[in-house]
Amino acid sequence: MQAEVKQTDQEVKHAEHSEFVSFTVAGQAFCLKITQIREIRRWSPVTILPHAPADVLGVMNLRGAVIPIYDLSARFGLQQTEASERNVVIVVSVHGKPVGLLAESVSEIISINPDDIQDTPPVDSRNTMEYIQGIISHDDTMVRIINLDAVISAPEQVMP
């Protein structure tokens, strides 16, 4: 006797969609797959590291683990963020290590059919093509999907 498994329309619809968390950086909309985000924290002061790149704000203690905090705005070549308690730190895992990303605010969860994700248009910038893996048109806003592996280099790739 074979058991028949039926999926509801809602389950099928959900399986066909990808979920992203959208946030603002320098007044612009960006997002990450929801599965890439470990947690979202309120901003708290960091310990500055001498000779760190301008986009590395310092390190933060996250339940006993020391994690680097990157200013996404500076990393994208936009203006540097003046960090305040109104900002958030999005904790992600890059190459198996926790990393914090400073953003102005988290906006919403976007559920979208992967077929509705548009390719990044060809522009004369290697970083743009590597950092942005697609664009979502959502509520009259163009939301860029961040390629975390390109934005945050693996430790062995970082030059001393």
Side-chain angles (χ1 to χ4, degrees), residues 8-156:
T8 65
D9 288 343
Q10 187 65 23
E11 288 173 330
V12 170
K13 184 178 178 184
H14 183 71
E16 294 172 356
H17 281 72
S18 295
E19 290 188 320
F20 296 87
V21 174
S22 68
F23 49 91
T24 56
V25 172
Q28 302 293 310
F30 293 90
C31 68
L32 289 168
K33 283 186 178 176
I34 199 166
T35 56
Q36 294 177 297
I37 297 175
R38 293 175 60 173
E39 68 181 274
I40 299 169
R41 303 175 50 93
R42 288 167 54 182
W43 170 256
S44 60
V46 297
T47 301
I48 297 170
L49 297 174
H51 305 290
D55 59 337
V56 177
L57 298 172
V59 293
M60 177 184 288
N61 185 333
L62 180 66
R63 289 183 294 287
V66 177
I67 66 168
I69 307 299
Y70 288 84
D71 180 351
L72 275 180
S73 182
R75 189 75 169 176
F76 291 150
L78 307 170
Q79 76 267 13
Q80 201 154 2
T81 304
E82 290 295 325
S84 73
E85 65 272 355
R86 295 175 62 174
N87 298 125
V88 294
V89 174
I90 302 168
V91 180
V92 297
S93 180
V94 180
H95 309 291
K97 303 282 187 201
V99 172
L101 307 173
L102 178 65
E104 292 170 6
S105 62
V106 172
S107 306
E108 64 181 313
I109 295 175
I110 299 171
S111 181
I112 189 164
N113 184 324
D115 294 337
D116 293 335
I117 297 172
Q118 300 176 30
D119 291 335
T120 305
V123 294
D124 197 20
S125 169
R126 184 172 157 244
N127 283 348
T128 297
M129 299 304 292
E130 289 178 0
Y131 286 8
I132 306 302
Q133 62 186 39
I135 298 177
I136 299 169
S137 181
H138 178 72
D139 291 342
D140 298 327
T141 303
M142 301 300 276
V143 183
R144 286 143 284 208
I145 303 169
I146 296 173
N147 178 355
L148 264 183
D149 291 333
V151 172
I152 308 298
S153 301
E156 56 274 5

